[in-house]
Amino acid sequence: MKQQLKIAVCIKQVPDTGQIKWTENNTIDRVNMDSIINPCDEYALEMALNIKDAYKNKQTHISVFSMGPNKACEILKYALALGCDEAYLISDKLFLGSDSYITSKILSQAIKYIYKDEFDLVICGQFASDGDTAQTGPGIAINLNIPLVTYISSLIEANDDSVVVQQNFDDSFNIVKMPFKSLMCIINNNCKLRNPNVLGYVQSQKKDIKIITANDLGFEKNQVGLKGSPTYVYNAYRFSEDNNREKKIYSNLSSNENAKIILKEVQKLFDYYED
């Protein structure tokens, strides 16, 4: 087996979905909200630790990366308590408002900054509960120029130069052999997650969380954050639960007639929110 394995895990602190607050730029106010670890990212951590367990006495090093405000140190400490080896907080005022495209650039650059080109696996959650774009993991893979497999549910085995995993779909699955220097996106698979023990908590308190800034990664003001992001949230709203809203029922229409009605209603929505 490979004598040393270096794993980077990207995790995210997300808002408690019952108490979402917004900034004036229609981005989520992450500083002033109760937050939790993104559910899929818990399974990403579990995957990394399962791989570490599979290698037993071989040297395996897990570094955890999270981009966000200082409050995100909470989930990094949690990852350390679980058994991860190092934790990095990617935090800078210039990063505020970064979309998934820019976030993937920042995270990939942070992995390069720490590992140079000497990493073996990058592991991410498939989705984030506060955005659900599923773009950040694939974006990291593109920026690192490495293979990617999504919708991974479990580890099958670990070999000298690869890991074998199960990839799940709605009605089927694949068994995939992933070479080292690749990225995997993990889904919520309802497996039993491990909990930190007392020794893990004690050891996590002795480890420092290292801060990575925009200057460390070589980013300038206009390259990141709201100014660098091609995606801008024009408006954010929550649908009313009022059951007395107008309902329309159409029947016995052709496909073309259905399409025209849908397009007309969608255009009404765009016109309403542009006003």
Side-chain angles (χ1 to χ4, degrees):
M1 272 194 172
K2 187 179 177 69
Q3 294 301 307
Q4 186 181 52
L5 189 69
K6 296 180 180 180
I7 303 174
V9 185
C10 298
I11 65 176
K12 185 178 184 181
Q13 191 176 52
V14 295
D16 184 338
T17 54
Q19 301 179 11
I20 292 179
K21 299 177 183 178
W22 302 92
T23 69
E24 61 182 9
N25 293 313
N26 288 318
T27 58
I28 294 174
D29 183 356
R30 301 181 186 277
V31 176
N32 298 309
M33 290 185 60
D34 293 334
S35 300
I36 59 174
I37 184 171
N38 180 52
C40 274
D41 295 349
E42 290 195 84
Y43 291 91
L45 287 171
E46 184 67 25
M47 173 63 76
L49 294 165
N50 285 340
I51 293 172
K52 188 173 185 178
D53 292 342
Y55 275 82
K56 296 180 180 178
N57 296 326
K58 304 300 179 182
Q59 186 177 356
T60 305
H61 188 275
I62 302 174
S63 294
V64 187
F65 297 80
S66 186
M67 178 176 152
N70 289 336
K71 194 175 181 181
C73 286
E74 297 169 359
I75 62 170
L76 290 172
K77 283 289 186 183
Y78 173 74
L80 292 172
L82 283 173
C84 298
D85 300 288
E86 285 186 322
Y88 297 92
L89 177 65
I90 307 165
S91 187
D92 197 297
K93 289 183 178 180
L94 296 185
F95 296 152
L96 289 173
S98 294
D99 64 2
S100 57
Y101 175 76
I102 294 299
T103 296
S104 65
K105 281 193 170 186
I106 294 169
L107 286 167
S108 59
Q109 194 64 25
I111 292 169
K112 291 178 185 177
Y113 177 72
I114 296 301
Y115 280 115
K116 304 299 186 283
D117 199 36
E118 298 178 358
F119 61 88
D120 296 292
L121 290 171
V122 181
I123 305 177
C124 305
Q126 180 70 48
F127 306 101
S129 62
D130 61 345
D132 206 18
T133 65
Q135 294 176 349
T136 302
I140 295 171
I142 289 171
N143 282 290
L144 293 177
N145 193 28
I146 57 177
L148 161 74
V149 177
T150 57
Y151 292 93
I152 293 175
S153 62
S154 58
L155 174 70
I156 305 299
E157 63 181 23
N159 300 311
D160 288 343
D161 57 358
S162 62
V163 291
V164 180
V165 296
Q166 180 169 316
Q167 180 187 41
N168 279 19
F169 301 105
D170 288 340
D171 55 0
S172 63
F173 67 90
N174 290 331
I175 302 300
V176 183
K177 184 177 181 180
M178 298 187 62
F180 288 136
K181 196 153 288 186
S182 59
L183 186 146
M184 57 176 74
C185 293
I186 314 301
I187 58 173
N188 182 334
N189 55 53
N190 296 318
C191 72
K192 185 176 180 180
L193 297 170
R194 69 189 73 196
N195 292 311
N197 55 35
V198 174
L199 179 60
Y201 273 118
V202 171
Q203 291 178 338
S204 70
Q205 299 308 308
K206 297 178 181 179
K207 295 181 179 179
D208 293 330
I209 294 175
K210 302 170 184 65
I211 309 296
I212 300 176
T213 67
N215 185 60
D216 292 328
L217 302 181
F219 287 113
E220 297 180 359
K221 186 175 182 179
N222 292 333
Q223 295 177 308
V224 293
L226 283 172
K227 291 187 176 181
S229 298
T231 305
Y232 176 73
V233 180
Y234 175 74
N235 197 1
Y237 60 92
R238 183 176 297 177
F239 281 110
S240 169
E241 296 181 1
D242 180 10
N243 290 325
N244 293 320
R245 288 178 295 173
E246 181 184 4
K247 300 178 179 67
K248 296 180 181 179
I249 299 176
Y250 300 93
S251 60
N252 300 321
L253 299 178
S254 68
S255 297
N256 285 338
E257 289 171 323
N258 284 329
K260 288 178 181 178
I261 290 170
I262 292 171
L263 286 172
K264 183 178 179 181
E265 295 301 322
V266 169
Q267 186 59 54
K268 285 182 182 179
L269 286 174
F270 275 108
D271 292 343
Y272 175 80
Y273 287 107
E274 285 178 358
D275 292 340

